[in-house]
């Protein structure tokens, strides 16, 4: 981004038109890049660019300089505040004698333990010395400038609408990581972001996150943005900004934010740790609600039971009103995890658990167990088996039934013995009765018969005498 005072644009027919840099500005970009060298002071460079401001648009010159400055590493700051160094040096008053001047400098150096002349003005930008410069090409500088200019204009946006033909999931994912408030619509597919100018507080942070998202938008093959820009100091007016598939913009990967908040990240990790019988999916496929897209934060699953979870931690009145309209129309079970500062009263009639700094996973897990109980009360569990050995786990997977629910609704089948975790045919049991397993190693039996043999041996009256933690000897119980 650039400072607002360097934003270049014109207004034509109530529309904001950015004044992007073009290939015609290549010479200027090259000349500015040539000024930046290791060992030079920033003040010297700024002095040399003053004449360029008389030839070119000074906002463009200063914009280029500001961006290139970000590519520089400067000499380390003074070990002590430079204002203290100046105070110590200047307290002796004007010194005209060169020898006396040198003696005072050495004295101050010794007292403060620093090179006083080197660091006395190191807090001033113009005195900063370049120790490393990351060189870029002029055409890259132009694309970077154009992106920064667009980011600066969007900082004044009331609303930003994005149309894309592909990669929309990636944009939404990153928007969620950045904590941006948005609405998604279908036919045509578009994403509508609440702009920084809408917010009463957190404007700067939110605006910068909008800026971070922009490179991902312009990197898609086919994109278009429409923004409502708020301009004016005393009397504010809204103007439109429209841009489509403009190629001269820097579109590069930026470090991504994995979760849109620490609350969401902590919830995810805690859920995996506590609710091990449930599967959790981050950013599942969107739901279509009245021809509009709703993208929940999480989906948790157990068998055929699917429950969505949405974390609501930041809002404006308009955003929460829109979100409530969609939440109330979601047909699938949905749990709202609500920042208690927002007030629960707006969510009447919905399943809500409030949190302060982090979500209490035990409350969420308790609520899920209640949903699970109601769901499987009304689900008819009907299944069949075939084969000589059938595990309950395989039945549960085949019929998408949680195994603990299946165990509460077990059936009897003619010709089968039901063990703890297996149905075993009676003919297999009869064959096992004909063998003597006494004094055999359990590990060898499992290798030969399979895991079911452990429960079959218990059924046949054998005991296990463990030899260490990994193996046991089979012993026949005395009658």
């Amino acid at each position: 981004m650039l400072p607002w005072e360097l934003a270049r644009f014109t207004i034509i027919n109530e529309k904001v038109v950015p004044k992007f840099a073009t290939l015609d500005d290549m010479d200027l970009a090259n000349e500015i890049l040539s000024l930046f060298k290791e060992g030079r002071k920033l003040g010297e460079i700024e002095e040399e660019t003053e004449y360029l401001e008389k030839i070119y648009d000074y906002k463009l010159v200063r914009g280029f300089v500001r961006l290139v400055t970000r590519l520089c590493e400067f000499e380390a700051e003074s070990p002590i505040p430079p204002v203290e160094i100046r105070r110590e040096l200047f307290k002796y008053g004007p010194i005209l004698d060169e020898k006396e001047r040198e003696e005072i400098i050495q004295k101050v150096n010794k007292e403060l333990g620093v090179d006083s002349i080197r660091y006395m003005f190191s807090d001033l930008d113009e005195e900063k010395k370049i120790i490393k410069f990351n060189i870029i090409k002029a055409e890259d500088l132009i694309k970077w400038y154009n992106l920064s200019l667009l980011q600066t204009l969007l900082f004044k946006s009331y609303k930003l609408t994005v149309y894309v033909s592909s990669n929309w999931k990636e944009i939404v994912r990153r928007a969620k990581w950045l904590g941006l408030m948005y609405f998604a619509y279908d036919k045509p597919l578009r994403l509508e972001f609440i702009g920084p100018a809408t917010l009463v507080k957190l404007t700067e942070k939110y605006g910068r996150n909008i800026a971070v998202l922009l490179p991902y938008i312009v990197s898609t093959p086919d994109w278009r943005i429409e923004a409502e820009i708020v301009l004016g100091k005393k009397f504010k007016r809204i103007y439109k900004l429209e841009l489509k598939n403009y190629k001269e913009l820097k579109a590069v990967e930026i470090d991504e934010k994995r979760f849109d908040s620490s609350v969401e990240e902590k919830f995810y990790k805690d859920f995996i740790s506590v609710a091990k019988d449930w599967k959790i999916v981050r950013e599942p496929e969107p739901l279509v609600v009245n021809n509009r897209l709703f993208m929940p934060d999480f989906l948790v699953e157990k068998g055929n039971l699917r429950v969505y979870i949405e974390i609501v931690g930041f809002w404006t009145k308009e955003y929460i009103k829109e979100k409530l309209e969609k939440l109330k129309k979601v047909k699938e079970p949905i749990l709202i995890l609500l920042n208690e500062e927002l007030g629960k009263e707006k969510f009447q009639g919905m399943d809500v658990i409030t949190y302060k700094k982090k979500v209490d996973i035990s409350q969420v897990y308790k609520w899920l167990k209640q949903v699970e109980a109601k769901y499987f009360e009304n689900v008819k569990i009907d299944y069949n088996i075939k084969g000589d050995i059938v595990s309950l786990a395989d039945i549960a997977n085949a019929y998408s039934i949680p195994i603990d629910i299946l165990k509460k609704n077990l059936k009897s089948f003619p010709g089968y013995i039901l063990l703890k975790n297996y149905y075993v045919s009676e003919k297999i049991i009869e064959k096992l009765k004909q063998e003597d397993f006494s004094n055999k190693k359990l590990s060898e039996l499992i290798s030969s018969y399979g895991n079911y043999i452990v429960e079959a041996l218990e059924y046949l009256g054998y005991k296990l005498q463990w030899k260490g933690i990994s193996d046991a000897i089979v012993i026949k119980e005395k009658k």
Side-chain angles (χ1 to χ4, degrees), residues 203-368:
T203 306
E204 183 172 348
K205 177 182 177 182
Y206 190 88
R208 292 188 182 280
N209 284 352
I210 284 277
V212 170
L213 181 69
L214 187 60
Y216 296 102
I217 296 172
V218 301
S219 66
T220 59
D222 185 27
W223 60 271
R224 176 165 61 95
I225 63 172
E226 295 176 357
E228 296 180 4
I229 307 295
V230 180
L231 299 178
K233 293 182 179 179
K234 188 175 181 181
F235 301 104
K236 297 186 181 297
R237 292 184 59 186
I238 294 179
Y239 300 86
K240 281 194 173 183
L241 185 155
E242 299 177 348
L243 195 64
K244 178 181 180 181
N245 293 337
Y246 188 72
K247 301 301 181 185
E248 296 304 311
L249 294 169
K250 183 180 179 183
V252 294
E253 291 286 320
I254 299 177
D255 288 342
E256 61 192 28
K257 189 177 179 182
R258 285 292 172 188
F259 288 87
D260 62 5
S261 71
S262 59
V263 173
E264 184 178 306
E265 182 175 9
K266 187 72 169 63
F267 169 79
Y268 181 75
K269 292 178 179 178
D270 288 348
F271 190 92
I272 291 175
S273 176
V274 174
K276 295 181 179 180
D277 52 334
W278 287 77
K279 176 185 176 184
I280 183 169
V281 180
R282 285 191 61 222
E283 297 158 347
E285 288 296 311
L287 302 173
V288 178
V289 181
N290 285 0
N291 200 36
R292 296 171 65 181
L293 299 180
F294 170 58
M295 300 172 192
D297 293 319
F298 299 99
L299 166 67
V300 295
E301 299 175 294
K302 190 170 187 179
N304 285 332
L305 176 57
R306 295 161 58 90
V307 179
Y308 292 96
I309 296 178
E310 179 74 5
I311 297 179
V312 182
F314 182 63
W315 63 295
T316 62
K317 289 182 179 179
E318 293 79 9
Y319 181 73
I320 210 68
K321 180 180 178 182
E322 185 79 15
K323 168 125 353 197
L324 277 168
E325 287 180 4
K326 285 197 284 188
L327 289 174
K328 289 178 178 179
K329 292 174 183 176
V330 175
K331 295 180 181 179
E332 293 81 356
I334 185 165
L335 173 64
I336 310 299
L337 302 179
L338 179 69
N339 186 332
E340 65 179 25
E341 296 178 1
L342 303 184
K344 194 174 178 179
E345 62 279 357
K346 294 181 181 292
F347 293 81
Q348 292 297 325
M350 305 183 71
D351 292 302
V352 177
I353 293 176
T354 59
Y355 70 89
K356 190 171 184 180
K357 292 183 179 179
K358 71 171 187 175
V359 177
D360 185 345
I361 292 296
S362 64
Q363 290 188 47
V364 176
Y365 189 58
K366 181 179 178 182
W367 181 85
L368 286 173

Side-chain angles (χ1 to χ4, degrees), residues 180-196:
L180 299 175
M181 293 182 287
Y182 68 91
F183 307 110
Y185 303 89
D186 197 9
K187 299 178 183 179
L189 178 61
R190 64 193 188 280
L191 305 170
E192 188 177 285
F193 295 93
I194 288 179

Side-chain angles (χ1 to χ4, degrees), residues 41-42 74-86 89 114-129:
K41 290 184 178 180
L42 193 55
F74 296 97
E75 189 175 47
E77 295 182 356
S78 172
I80 63 175
V83 65
E84 293 184 17
I85 299 175
R86 293 195 292 270
L89 286 171
V114 298
D115 184 338
S116 57
I117 298 301
R118 177 182 177 183
Y119 291 116
M120 66 184 296
F121 294 115
S122 63
D123 57 339
L124 305 179
D125 284 345
E126 59 267 24
E127 291 297 314
K128 291 181 178 178
K129 185 182 293 185

Side-chain angles (χ1 to χ4, degrees), residues 433 458-463 475-479:
K433 285 180 180 180
E458 183 181 348
Y459 176 80
L460 294 172
Y462 289 93
K463 278 189 173 182
I475 298 174
K476 183 69 174 180
E477 284 189 303
K478 295 180 181 179
K479 294 185 180 179

Side-chain angles (χ1 to χ4, degrees), residues 6 73 96 98-99 147 158 161 169 177 181 195 203 208 247 277 279 337 358 418 460 469-470:
L6 296 184
E73 292 182 22
L96 301 178
E98 185 63 29
K99 182 179 179 182
L147 177 69
Y158 179 82
T161 304
K169 288 183 184 177
W177 288 342
M181 293 182 287
T203 306
R208 292 188 182 280
K247 301 301 181 185
D277 52 334
K279 176 185 176 184
L337 302 179
K358 71 171 187 175
L418 176 59
L460 294 172
I469 60 173
S470 60

